[in-house]
Amino acid sequence: ETGVTQTPRHLVMGMTNKKSLKCEQHLGHNAMYWYKQSAKKPLELMFVYNFKEQTENNSVPSRFSPECPNSSHLFLHLHTLQPEDSALYLCASSQDSSMETQYFGPGTRLLVL
Amino acid sequence: SQKIEQNSEALNIQEGKTATLTCNYTNYSPAYLQWYRQDPGRGPVFLLLIRENEKEKRKERLKVTFDTTLKQSLFHITASQPADSATYLCAPADSWGKLQFGAGTQVVVTP
């Protein structure tokens, strides 16, 4: 185990649903990340939080809304998603956003119908 | 734009042989480069980091080289085992620590 947990592990939702992904890290890190991984494509960085402040939004559509209430928890709120948003969503953490090694959670496999 | 290329074809290799993976990058001058392993349905796991001033780094059966002139990193798995079967991701980073990942190369080690 990497010390980063994600729930749920699998999620199926309709385009009109609202759901949230949760990430929790037990490593005492200050930076947390959301990535999207589609089949046969590189990981795409979505958001970066450092000390609870958002430091990067990689031109992500507004139907994805992140929330970081504290350095240990990160959420990704989803609403009115499209089928092309189906992917593996990975959370990661690092000591801070300039530190080198990132520790990834197991991911949430999302299917949008 | 910055581009990272890894061989998209799976590398099939016999147990005991050395697997060599390539990572090429363009329009990029990374301060360091990382390699991660990813198993199906799991998140990537950090393996090795090599800095721009280092030529080679080793960890057990793994070896990474970094050639900033060729803009290339090679990742070697020596004495490969079936348990080494996974997808290996290359991730150069800029001086601010921002990682950019390649699509990965799948390695299949057969007994």
Side-chain angles (χ1 to χ4, degrees):
Chain A
E1 296 300 324
T2 62
V4 180
T5 58
Q6 289 187 244
T7 54
R9 292 295 309 278
H10 302 272
L11 179 62
V12 180
M13 60 186 290
M15 289 190 283
T16 58
N17 290 160
K18 287 185 181 181
K19 296 285 184 184
S20 295
L21 309 185
K22 179 183 175 183
C23 175
E24 183 174 0
Q25 57 96 0
H26 310 273
L27 301 169
H29 290 167
N30 297 307
M32 297 187 77
Y33 311 77
W34 279 117
Y35 286 88
K36 175 184 179 182
Q37 188 175 33
S38 303
K40 304 295 184 185
K41 285 188 166 184
L43 272 73
E44 299 172 46
L45 180 65
M46 299 175 71
F47 302 102
V48 180
Y49 278 81
N50 200 27
F51 293 93
K52 301 191 298 179
E53 298 297 320
Q54 186 181 119
T55 56
E56 185 147 353
N57 175 338
N58 214 19
S59 302
V60 180
S62 59
R63 58 186 184 269
F64 295 91
S65 175
E67 179 190 0
C68 188
N70 55 60
S71 293
S72 299
H73 293 86
L74 186 64
F75 295 89
L76 189 62
H77 304 298
L78 317 171
H79 62 99
T80 59
L81 293 192
Q82 304 298 311
E84 59 264 29
D85 296 322
S86 299
L88 181 68
Y89 288 85
L90 290 160
C91 173
S93 72
S94 63
Q95 188 60 49
D96 64 55
S97 60
S98 65
M99 290 302 289
E100 297 145 347
T101 303
Q102 293 186 15
Y103 295 80
F104 285 83
T108 295
R109 174 70 62 186
L110 174 66
L111 177 61
V112 182
L113 300 176
Chain B
S1 62
Q2 296 171 346
K3 196 173 177 183
I4 301 161
E5 292 181 339
Q6 294 187 255
N7 196 335
S8 58
E9 289 184 18
L11 178 63
N12 290 284
I13 192 162
Q14 196 174 13
E15 184 175 7
K17 302 291 186 183
T18 296
T20 297
L21 309 179
T22 304
C23 174
N24 295 301
Y25 56 90
T26 53
N27 299 323
Y28 210 155
S29 295
Y32 58 87
L33 188 146
Q34 300 186 31
W35 284 88
Y36 286 77
R37 169 185 171 140
Q38 187 172 23
D39 292 283
R42 308 287 291 270
V45 175
F46 170 76
L47 295 175
L48 277 168
L49 179 152
I50 186 165
R51 301 184 189 282
E52 59 181 338
N53 61 349
E54 297 175 315
K55 295 289 186 188
E56 182 180 299
K57 204 76 170 282
R58 291 176 185 261
K59 179 183 175 183
E60 297 173 351
R61 294 183 294 108
L62 307 179
K63 185 178 88 171
V64 171
T65 62
F66 194 9
D67 189 324
T68 55
T69 302
L70 291 179
K71 294 187 180 294
Q72 181 182 81
S73 175
L74 299 180
F75 178 83
H76 307 270
I77 308 172
T78 59
S80 58
Q81 303 169 359
D84 295 326
S85 299
T87 296
Y88 292 86
L89 310 177
C90 163
D94 61 24
S95 53
W96 286 274
K98 182 176 175 182
L99 293 180
Q100 187 168 345
F101 285 85
T105 298
Q106 183 184 12
V107 172
V108 180
V109 182
T110 52

